[in-house]
Amino acid sequence: MDIAATKKKLGLKERYTLMTRGLGWEPTYQAIDDVFPMDTFEGIKIHDWEAWEDPFRLTMDSYWKYQAEKDRKLYAILDAFAQSNGHLTVSDARYINTTKLFACGLAPLEYMSHRGFSHVARQFRGVGPRVACMMQSLDEMRHAQTQIHAVSNYNRYYNGMSEFRHYHDHLPYLQAAKSFFEDAASAGPFEFVIAIGFAFEYVLTNLVFVPFISGAAYNGDMGAMTFGFSAQSDEARHMTLGLEVIRFVLEQDPANVPIVQKWLNKWTWRGVRVITLVAMMQDYMLPKRVMSWAEAWEIYFEENCGALFRDLARYGITMPPCVEQIRKERDHLSHLAWCAFYQSRSSLNFQLWLPSAEDMDWLSAKYPETFDRYYRPRFEYWADLEAAGTPFEASGSPMQCQVCQIPLMFPEPDEPLKLAQRHRHYKEEQYHFCSDYCQEIFDDEPEKYIQAHIGTHEFLKGNCFGPDVDSTAEGFDPLAAALAFWRIADGKDNGLFTGSEDATNFDLWRGLAKTNV
Ligand code: FE
Ligand code: ZN
């Protein structure tokens, strides 16, 4: 390298500049567009890749040093948690169900994010964004690993986690989260970075890693607390990267503004739909609660996103129109989700329970506009049925939205008791949507979304049975065959929490830890 050394020791900024500038070259025997074929088809115009400023300059050596230090602390705590039977010190065994959602719903997304960013790191012709994406790709790999390791401490003792990879690919309810990432990863590189950097990092992970992880800590899960806080310092960097990409693209050419606006509209909605799962975890699955979903939402979405869009206004970016509906759904989301999961608990890898009288009083206080009016009566009715020994369970498969893949369970924004359903006829086929916004996303790229693998539809088509299953045999039980295909141990992994193997074992082991028997 023929760069003259002017000082003995370079500062971080200079080292970062040396690492990310002047590394590219003009190809002579290949056209530059053939070397980077992916970064133009979305219509984004970049005139000066050098104008890219990575907001979080980090060189490889400082990166490894910093991450290794975090990992040493994290694994020391995970070891201590395992050695002292930390799983028995959590608030109660209901909490452990949240770790199942974490392992199956979130950790695989971190891995998808790792793959996506390594892919994108090859596609930008600017060196600065390539290096930034590569760094984020490494972080995401680490997040997947640390989350899986932290949850593996529970997997030794409790059901519903050991098949987490298989569940991620096949279990219908997890396809909502998976399809979010597949949608992004199959888009172009700019859309991917904005989708993940903005919707996943800014809208979603903040809510997962701050309020939800505080809840995990409050419930005694030192492992989740430590990986959460260890990941959060990376997330701050990822959010900044996402925002920097948005600004960079907007500053490069005014023609980029409407494209970015369309992506922000789409991914705000996609992010909010996926977060339904977190809303439910926070309000219904934490035995000890720190704050309600609505309170967390106010701080981490309404305030933060409001500030972000005010900041982007100078480029001509406006608040996505879906925000109004999001505001109306805020006080319904967690209740709708818990009701939907309760009814379809056979096909899940975690267990459900009805909120106690105390839980319901807390929910009424936190949701004065909605809980008593729309949801308490349902829970009380189901509690009566449970007490009578005839717990309610839905017998059919719900219709799922072709875009977000969540069952059609959301109400019309202004009519909380009316189910929202949208339909579109496209190429001889009927498609269903949960909302105007999901339908809008479909209408923009129908050829993409008709390929969606919709869990319950695949079940009805007979695609959720093993290869040796004869569905024409007498007495064929499609649900049993599907559970076997999904690798759900019926009666162990699914169903009601009360009386479950996990609940019984937890009480037994905790009793042993506290007595001389
Ligand atoms: Fe991550
Ligand atoms: Zn939808």
Side-chain angles (χ1 to χ4, degrees):
M1 228 201 293
D2 56 8
I3 294 169
T6 47
K7 270 194 280 179
K8 259 202 176 133
K9 208 163 160 49
L10 297 169
L12 196 60
K13 190 176 173 195
E14 290 159 299
R15 270 189 286 155
Y16 186 78
T17 306
L18 286 178
M19 194 176 75
T20 56
R21 294 294 187 273
L23 293 178
W25 62 88
E26 286 296 320
T28 50
Y29 53 90
Q30 289 290 338
I32 187 86
D33 287 339
D34 292 336
V35 180
F36 298 103
M38 303 281 225
D39 66 1
T40 46
F41 80 89
E42 296 165 281
I44 294 291
K45 294 185 176 66
I46 304 295
H47 304 290
D48 179 16
W49 283 97
E50 291 298 306
W52 165 267
E53 286 285 345
D54 189 338
F56 211 98
R57 296 176 192 94
L58 205 54
T59 59
M60 266 299 160
D61 57 343
S62 57
Y63 177 81
W64 292 125
K65 215 156 75 190
Y66 184 60
Q67 299 298 66
E69 180 60 31
K70 285 202 296 187
D71 266 12
R72 261 196 298 278
K73 286 182 188 146
L74 169 67
Y75 283 94
I77 293 172
L78 291 186
D79 271 0
F81 188 76
Q83 281 170 28
S84 61
N85 278 324
H87 68 101
L88 293 178
T89 62
V90 300
S91 51
D92 79 50
R94 287 175 300 166
Y95 169 77
I96 294 162
N97 285 289
T98 66
T99 67
K100 301 175 190 178
L101 284 182
F102 225 106
C104 305
L106 193 77
L109 297 193
E110 300 274 19
Y111 188 73
M112 289 173 90
S113 184
H114 153 71
R115 289 182 62 193
F117 275 102
S118 16
H119 192 49
V120 166
R122 168 64 185 82
Q123 291 169 359
F124 288 131
R125 65 190 73 193
V127 187
R130 284 220 299 276
V131 172
C133 288
M134 186 192 65
M135 294 292 209
Q136 177 152 356
S137 159
L138 296 172
D139 283 346
E140 303 298 4
M141 170 71 103
R142 193 179 80 87
H143 295 173
Q145 288 170 339
T146 54
Q147 287 167 22
I148 292 163
H149 287 154
V151 175
S152 71
N153 280 333
Y154 294 101
N155 178 46
R156 290 183 203 157
Y157 305 99
Y158 303 97
N159 296 320
M161 285 173 260
S162 58
E163 294 289 351
F164 77 101
R165 275 298 302 133
H166 185 81
Y167 292 161
H168 177 66
D169 282 336
H170 298 286
L171 215 50
Y173 86 92
L174 290 168
Q175 303 316 300
K178 189 179 189 222
S179 78
F180 171 93
F181 246 99
E182 286 181 340
D183 189 348
S186 55
F190 285 106
E191 185 177 349
F192 176 84
V193 171
I194 289 176
I196 304 309
F198 166 72
F200 190 66
E201 305 291 351
Y202 201 88
V203 180
L204 201 104
T205 55
N206 241 343
L207 279 145
V208 174
F209 285 112
V210 189
F212 180 76
I213 288 294
S214 308
Y218 198 42
N219 284 275
D221 188 348
M222 293 306 129
M225 181 193 82
T226 318
F227 81 63
F229 292 153
S230 165
Q232 183 54 25
S233 56
D234 299 334
E235 302 305 347
R237 181 150 40 81
H238 300 169
M239 274 186 275
T240 327
L241 172 62
L243 301 187
E244 177 55 28
V245 175
I246 294 175
R247 282 199 194 96
F248 170 69
V249 169
L250 291 172
E251 274 166 16
Q252 286 291 313
D253 199 295
N256 294 339
V257 175
I259 305 175
V260 171
Q261 179 77 59
K262 186 177 88 175
W263 290 337
L264 291 173
N265 294 355
K266 167 182 172 181
W267 288 100
T268 300
W269 185 249
R270 287 291 260 135
V272 168
R273 273 295 183 248
V274 169
I275 216 166
T276 306
L277 215 55
V278 186
M280 170 184 100
M281 286 160 81
Q282 186 144 342
D283 280 345
Y284 283 85
M285 298 181 75
L286 293 177
K288 283 161 66 102
R289 290 169 293 247
V290 181
M291 59 164 82
S292 70
W293 166 253
E295 288 164 332
W297 184 249
E298 252 167 50
I299 301 169
Y300 294 99
F301 183 82
E302 288 175 8
E303 287 177 23
N304 282 3
C305 271
L308 168 68
F309 280 99
R310 274 194 298 281
D311 186 42
L312 294 178
R314 65 193 141 112
Y315 302 107
I317 291 289
T318 54
M319 200 70 148
C322 63
V323 164
E324 206 188 312
Q325 182 167 341
I326 291 170
R327 178 68 192 76
K328 288 176 184 165
E329 285 182 356
R330 188 195 69 186
D331 293 351
H332 292 275
L333 218 53
S334 62
H335 321 300
L336 285 168
W338 193 242
C339 289
F341 277 97
Y342 177 81
Q343 296 174 72
S344 59
R345 58 189 178 273
S346 292
S347 60
L348 306 176
N349 66 313
F350 65 98
Q351 281 140 354
L352 279 286
W353 54 90
L354 291 174
S356 66
E358 269 170 36
D359 292 337
M360 289 203 276
D361 289 344
W362 183 84
L363 289 163
S364 334
K366 295 296 180 186
Y367 296 95
E369 306 286 313
T370 56
F371 186 75
D372 283 347
R373 194 148 167 221
Y374 303 110
Y375 303 102
R376 184 189 279 273
R378 264 184 241 189
F379 289 127
E380 287 176 344
Y381 174 64
W382 286 338
D384 288 345
L385 288 176
E386 274 194 19
T390 52
F392 176 74
E393 196 165 1
S395 52
S397 301
M399 188 185 277
Q400 279 169 276
C401 175
Q402 191 71 20
V403 172
C404 70
Q405 305 207 5
I406 295 176
L408 267 53
M409 65 176 198
F410 301 97
E412 289 292 347
D414 293 307
E415 291 170 272
L417 290 174
K418 189 172 172 204
L419 190 67
Q421 304 188 43
R422 301 289 181 272
H423 312 282
R424 172 70 77 224
H425 206 72
Y426 181 80
K427 287 195 177 168
E428 318 275 290
E429 227 11 292
Q430 184 85 337
Y431 297 94
H432 312 284
F433 310 95
C434 71
S435 55
D436 290 336
Y437 297 107
C438 277
Q439 181 166 14
E440 208 170 87
I441 294 168
F442 177 90
D443 285 345
D444 191 52
E445 289 179 282
E447 288 299 320
K448 179 173 192 174
Y449 296 99
I450 59 172
Q451 300 172 55
H453 192 90
I454 305 291
T456 49
H457 300 185
E458 294 305 312
F459 171 70
L460 294 171
K461 286 188 222 162
N463 292 338
C464 297
F465 308 136
D468 306 327
V469 169
D470 176 9
S471 56
T472 59
E474 205 178 321
F476 173 70
D477 179 350
L479 182 60
L483 289 177
F485 172 77
W486 291 325
R487 301 186 195 161
I488 296 286
D490 195 19
K492 277 182 180 240
D493 295 330
N494 56 3
L496 291 174
F497 172 76
T498 312
S500 68
E501 193 171 64
D502 280 359
T504 311
N505 282 340
F506 182 85
D507 287 345
L508 174 75
W509 294 330
R510 181 124 98 178
L512 290 175
K514 287 200 285 194
T515 59
N516 293 310
V517 186

